[in-house]
Amino acid sequence: MKAKLVEIFKSIQGEGLYQGQEQVFVRFYGCNLKCSFCDTKSLFYTKEDLFCIMEKINDLGDFHSVSLTGGEPLLQIEFLKQLAKTLKENKRKVYLETNGVLYQNLREIIDFIDIISMDFKLPTSTNVKILWKEHSKFLKIALKKEVFVKAVIGLNTSEQDLIECIHIIKKIKSDLFFVLQPQNPYEKQLKSKMEIFEKICQQHKINVKIMFQLHKKLGIR
Ligand code: SF4
């Protein structure tokens, strides 16, 4: 069995609660969504088998964890299952970066995952359809492991979408960390919007954090 991969490389995690940790990124090709701000679209992939991927990962030495990312890694669930299981057998920490929609696939793999970084895809941020039900189901399964959620906030993001996220968090696990990530950290208008959104979260007693994409600020991958 082979996976469609875009790249494998070592860098630091630029987003979310593990920002700054050294990871090996295994970037899977393809996604089930089309977010308007997507910066990981790729037309190219190579087909690689498990042995070859493990060899590349092990050649990269020591690091905090292996980030299974995309695109949407859960789309290639049969291969992902094999890879995540093998990583665990090799005593590697497995970190899943996901758009939080394919909950049935998550169920198949959850035992081999250590940390889940799940995105809320807000319709007014992404221009994709409403996915609240899928996100709720996903999060319930993800709770078996360490999980945090994040959302990209842009100038068009509505307060109503933020409130939907808050409702889901409060219903499923009220102390979950919620990372608000500005789409463009240099946009002045967005800065004040981020502060308003942070206050709204705090008023609802949500563990909220505003975090920029560190790798973009540092100009690294
Ligand atoms: S879910 Fe992620 S990879 Fe897929 S289109 Fe959206 S931003 Fe891009």
Side-chain angles (χ1 to χ4, degrees), residues 4 48 53 77 83 103 119:
K4 288 181 182 176
E48 303 206 30
I53 294 171
I77 184 61
L83 175 59
Y103 56 89
D119 279 2

Side-chain angles (χ1 to χ4, degrees), residues 42-220:
S42 176
L43 296 172
F44 304 104
Y45 62 82
T46 53
K47 284 189 170 180
E48 303 206 30
D49 64 25
L50 187 62
F51 180 78
C52 173
I53 294 171
M54 285 305 297
E55 204 172 48
K56 284 184 183 173
I57 292 171
N58 288 329
D59 280 351
L60 290 167
D62 287 333
F63 41 84
H64 175 268
S65 47
V66 176
S67 172
L68 305 173
T69 187
E72 174 50 55
L74 287 169
L75 270 182
Q76 298 183 54
I77 184 61
E78 290 311 320
F79 188 90
L80 198 70
K81 219 188 300 178
Q82 281 190 13
L83 175 59
K85 188 168 180 280
T86 309
L87 286 168
K88 292 311 301 166
E89 286 164 1
N90 281 259
K91 310 269 180 262
R92 296 293 191 184
K93 200 172 262 191
V94 181
Y95 181 103
L96 177 68
E97 296 194 75
T98 172
N99 59 32
V101 173
L102 303 172
Y103 56 89
Q104 278 144 334
N105 294 3
L106 178 68
R107 199 177 283 130
E108 289 189 43
I109 203 183
I110 188 79
D111 290 343
F112 309 119
I113 305 293
D114 296 296
I115 304 161
I116 300 170
S117 163
M118 182 197 125
D119 279 2
F120 278 129
K121 293 300 179 186
L122 281 55
T124 51
S125 293
T126 59
N127 284 334
V128 301
K129 64 176 183 172
I130 290 173
L131 294 162
W132 305 126
K133 272 190 193 151
E134 288 84 350
H135 284 328
S136 297
K137 288 181 182 176
F138 195 99
L139 202 45
K140 279 182 193 161
I141 299 165
L143 281 187
K144 270 183 89 177
K145 297 297 172 85
E146 183 182 339
V147 56
F148 65 91
V149 285
K150 59 187 175 65
V152 173
I153 308 298
L155 284 175
N156 293 331
T157 308
S158 71
E159 216 173 286
Q160 197 193 335
D161 278 357
L162 181 78
I163 297 292
E164 287 285 353
C165 296
I166 291 172
H167 283 158
I168 292 173
I169 292 170
K170 291 193 93 164
K171 202 167 148 194
I172 296 178
K173 194 173 190 287
S174 57
D175 62 350
L176 207 63
F177 270 101
F178 185 23
V179 175
L180 302 180
Q181 188 174 289
Q183 193 176 333
N184 178 357
Y186 304 107
E187 185 91 53
K188 267 194 186 156
Q189 273 172 286
L190 189 53
K191 192 172 178 286
S192 50
K193 183 171 199 165
M194 298 299 297
E195 286 165 5
I196 294 168
F197 276 24
E198 185 183 33
K199 275 209 183 93
I200 295 172
C201 288
Q202 285 165 346
Q203 280 159 3
H204 284 85
K205 302 197 183 335
I206 297 291
N207 277 329
V208 66
K209 268 181 182 233
I210 296 178
M211 296 183 84
F212 303 96
Q213 288 177 297
L214 183 64
H215 55 297
K216 289 197 178 160
K217 269 198 148 179
L218 297 177
I220 58 172

Side-chain angles (χ1 to χ4, degrees), residues 7-13 21-27 56-67 92 220-221:
E7 56 186 348
I8 298 175
F9 63 100
K10 187 154 96 169
S11 186
I12 57 161
Q13 174 58 247
Q21 289 285 358
E22 199 171 39
Q23 292 186 321
V24 168
F25 293 82
V26 180
R27 187 177 302 290
K56 284 184 183 173
I57 292 171
N58 288 329
D59 280 351
L60 290 167
D62 287 333
F63 41 84
H64 175 268
S65 47
V66 176
S67 172
R92 296 293 191 184
I220 58 172
R221 281 161 106 192

Side-chain angles (χ1 to χ4, degrees), residues 30-41 70-72 98-99 119 121 126 128:
C31 189
N32 51 327
L33 301 180
K34 282 190 181 145
C35 306
S36 53
F37 54 72
C38 183
D39 59 2
T40 57
K41 281 178 196 134
E72 174 50 55
T98 172
N99 59 32
D119 279 2
K121 293 300 179 186
T126 59
V128 301

